[in-house]
Amino acid sequence: MRDAGSRWQKVFYSFGQIGNGAYNGINNAVLTLYVSGFTGNPFIIGYLGNSRTMEGVVIQPLVGGWSDRMAGPLGRRRPFILFGVPLSVLFLVLVPILGHAGHSLALPLIAGSIILFSITWNIAQDPYSALMIDITAPGKRSKFNAVLSILALVGQIGIVAYASVAALKKNNIPDVVFYICAAIMLLSYVVVFFGVREPKEAATIARVEEKIPLATYIAEMRVFKEAIKLLVSIFFLWNGLNAILPFISTFPIKIVHASKSQALIIYVMIILSSAIFAYPFGWLGARYGNRRMIIVGTVILIAAALVGLVVPSYFWLFPLAVLAGCGFSATTVLTYPYLSQLIPGSKIGVFTGLQTAFSAVAVPLSTVVTGTLINFFGYRSIFAMLAVMMVADIVCLLLIDEAAAHQQVRDVEEAERLVAGSVHSVAVSH
């Protein structure tokens, strides 16, 4: 399966991360500021400023499982890219257009477009993520994912920095920011779609997965108990991160009275720090173990949360941004490669979807809890939420039995080899 993981395959694949970075930047920084021009409700701002949606709890595992079992002429993952990316770009372009509707109509219209924008992007994103596992050898995934994270962060920095400059004169987000972001997202995935070819074995694996009865396929998910523990830790991780990410660009405005442009500079600092620390953590994860380094990053996020509770002025937001970026980098760079260690490669699509589902189900919970905390205790309370969730995250990570996980993977892979042998025999006989 690794013959497709050539250097050029990885280069073409990497272009998608620029689009992902633009997507995350527009979601976590630009949309929160844009939506705040229509409402001050922290529940609405928090939900619409999230890169995940509640609908993903159902949609993403289905998409991931379908991509594992699809044996068509375009391969397993590319059909979802072809469907999701153009639609997502269309819904993003509609946001500023709908924003010019009458005042009573603008908010519900842009809310609907933003939600569809996120749903369709995630439909493409999870199969795209699974494709990284398809084309990369296990020992190289942590470092390669670190490089991918850096490229995504560069994409974020680019779109947020541009939005910051564009907002200087009017202290508002101009429409052109949305159009440029949409173009970046579309063009980056054009390169992926036409440049990356799935491994030759992908079609065979898909046919094997198709042969497994759906009830058996679903029942197999329960076998991977250690992977489920990691998914629960991801739930707590994103409960904490979702308390912070939608409000990164509004926190400086509310607490230290920064301008919108200054607030976006802090966001850029967080992303820049994440980019700087990404490859070192990828190397450390490959050298000392992904779980160990994820825990280190989670502890750093707890330290950042404690600083955030007492930060006194705009100047002190910069060291806070460095700490937050460092912790964010370790957790997001290494979690997905670590998940791939706990499951067989044939199930990476469905578990990628489950990873998204566990992070998506955190969206409404964190939005409600964070919105309530902000209403009663102010914007600093989001850091208390982050600290508590990170402690729960660490507890789940420590409960994972890696030896048991590897045995679970071996048992399923052996069963799949028997099915693959029967599929090959039938193909030969015909």
Side-chain angles (χ1 to χ4, degrees):
M1 200 168 192
R2 304 303 158 210
D3 53 51
S6 68
R7 180 177 298 178
W8 279 110
Q9 290 282 295
K10 291 181 179 179
V11 169
F12 292 136
Y13 180 90
S14 299
F15 273 82
Q17 292 301 104
I18 303 296
N20 291 342
Y23 169 81
N24 288 326
I26 200 93
N27 255 294
N28 297 328
V30 178
L31 281 178
T32 52
L33 292 179
Y34 186 78
V35 172
S36 67
F38 297 88
T39 178
N41 189 315
F43 297 97
I44 297 175
I45 294 171
Y47 189 80
L48 296 182
N50 246 295
S51 58
R52 304 296 191 189
T53 63
M54 181 59 187
E55 296 79 9
V57 174
V58 176
I59 295 171
Q60 298 312 127
L62 294 175
V63 167
W66 191 5
S67 77
D68 281 338
R69 298 160 67 92
M70 179 175 284
L74 288 178
R76 297 188 296 174
R77 320 298 185 189
R78 292 164 73 226
F80 298 92
I81 295 173
L82 181 62
F83 171 81
V85 171
L87 277 178
S88 182
V89 167
L90 172 63
F91 289 122
L92 177 60
V93 168
L94 286 175
V95 170
I97 296 172
L98 297 172
H100 294 297
H103 189 73
S104 59
L105 290 175
L107 182 59
L109 287 175
I110 64 174
S113 195
I114 289 170
I115 290 169
L116 291 171
F117 160 64
S118 295
I119 289 173
T120 49
W121 187 260
N122 285 318
I123 286 173
Q125 175 59 27
D126 282 356
Y128 167 79
S129 297
L131 185 57
M132 187 275 282
I133 303 299
D134 293 342
I135 67 172
T136 310
K140 297 180 179 179
R141 288 171 187 166
S142 296
K143 291 182 181 179
F144 184 45
N145 203 48
V147 173
L148 296 176
S149 297
I150 293 170
L151 291 172
L153 294 169
V154 167
Q156 281 199 62
I157 291 171
I159 198 66
V160 175
Y162 175 72
S164 178
V165 172
L168 272 174
K169 292 183 179 180
K170 297 183 178 180
N171 199 28
N172 201 3
I173 306 299
D175 294 354
V176 69
V177 173
F178 293 89
Y179 303 144
I180 289 176
C181 183
I184 292 170
M185 290 164 55
L186 181 61
L187 292 174
S188 67
Y189 270 86
V190 166
V191 176
V192 174
F193 184 82
F194 289 105
V196 181
R197 290 293 176 268
E198 296 183 26
K200 294 178 181 178
E201 296 88 346
T204 301
I205 293 172
R207 286 192 290 270
V208 169
E209 296 297 302
E210 279 185 321
K211 291 290 183 182
I212 301 172
L214 186 60
T216 304
Y217 185 84
I218 294 171
E220 275 188 354
M221 298 301 104
R222 296 195 296 268
V223 171
F224 306 105
K225 295 178 181 178
E226 309 312 310
I228 298 298
K229 293 176 185 176
L230 178 59
L231 294 177
V232 175
S233 84
I234 289 170
F235 167 76
F236 288 117
L237 170 67
W238 282 99
N239 258 303
L241 293 180
N242 285 334
I244 300 295
L245 289 175
F247 301 104
I248 287 176
S249 52
T250 54
F251 176 80
I253 297 171
K254 299 292 184 180
I255 298 301
V256 298
H257 310 295
S259 68
K260 288 186 177 181
S261 183
Q262 287 175 322
L264 288 174
I265 289 171
I266 296 301
Y267 186 93
V268 169
M269 276 297 301
I270 294 175
I271 301 307
L272 185 60
S273 299
S274 300
I276 291 171
F277 288 107
Y279 193 80
F281 272 114
W283 183 86
L284 289 169
R287 180 76 172 80
Y288 298 106
N290 288 327
R291 179 172 62 166
R292 187 175 298 173
M293 290 301 108
I294 293 170
I295 291 173
V296 169
T298 310
V299 170
I300 294 171
L301 282 174
I302 293 173
L306 297 177
V307 173
L309 287 170
V310 298
V311 63
S313 65
Y314 181 73
F315 172 80
W316 287 101
L317 290 176
F318 286 89
L320 169 60
V322 173
L323 270 178
C326 180
F328 180 82
S329 186
T331 53
T332 55
V333 164
L334 299 176
T335 296
Y336 190 54
Y338 186 47
L339 176 62
S340 73
Q341 293 176 227
L342 305 179
I343 57 171
S346 59
K347 299 290 191 293
I348 191 62
V350 68
F351 270 93
T352 302
L354 286 170
Q355 175 181 263
T356 301
F358 273 77
S359 61
V361 77
V363 171
L365 177 59
S366 63
T367 300
V368 170
V369 173
T370 305
T372 303
L373 288 172
I374 290 172
N375 283 336
F376 280 94
F377 303 106
Y379 272 81
R380 289 186 190 274
S381 60
I382 62 179
F383 291 101
M385 175 79 165
L386 175 63
V388 171
M389 291 298 105
M390 293 307 98
V391 171
D393 181 10
I394 290 173
V395 171
C396 292
L397 288 167
L398 292 174
L399 291 174
I400 296 172
D401 185 340
E402 293 182 347
H406 296 154
Q407 184 59 52
Q408 291 161 11
V409 170
R410 284 193 294 269
D411 290 344
V412 171
E413 286 180 338
E414 179 59 33
E416 287 179 344
R417 275 193 288 271
L418 295 174
V419 176
S422 64
V423 169
H424 178 72
S425 298
V426 170
V428 170
S429 64
H430 285 79

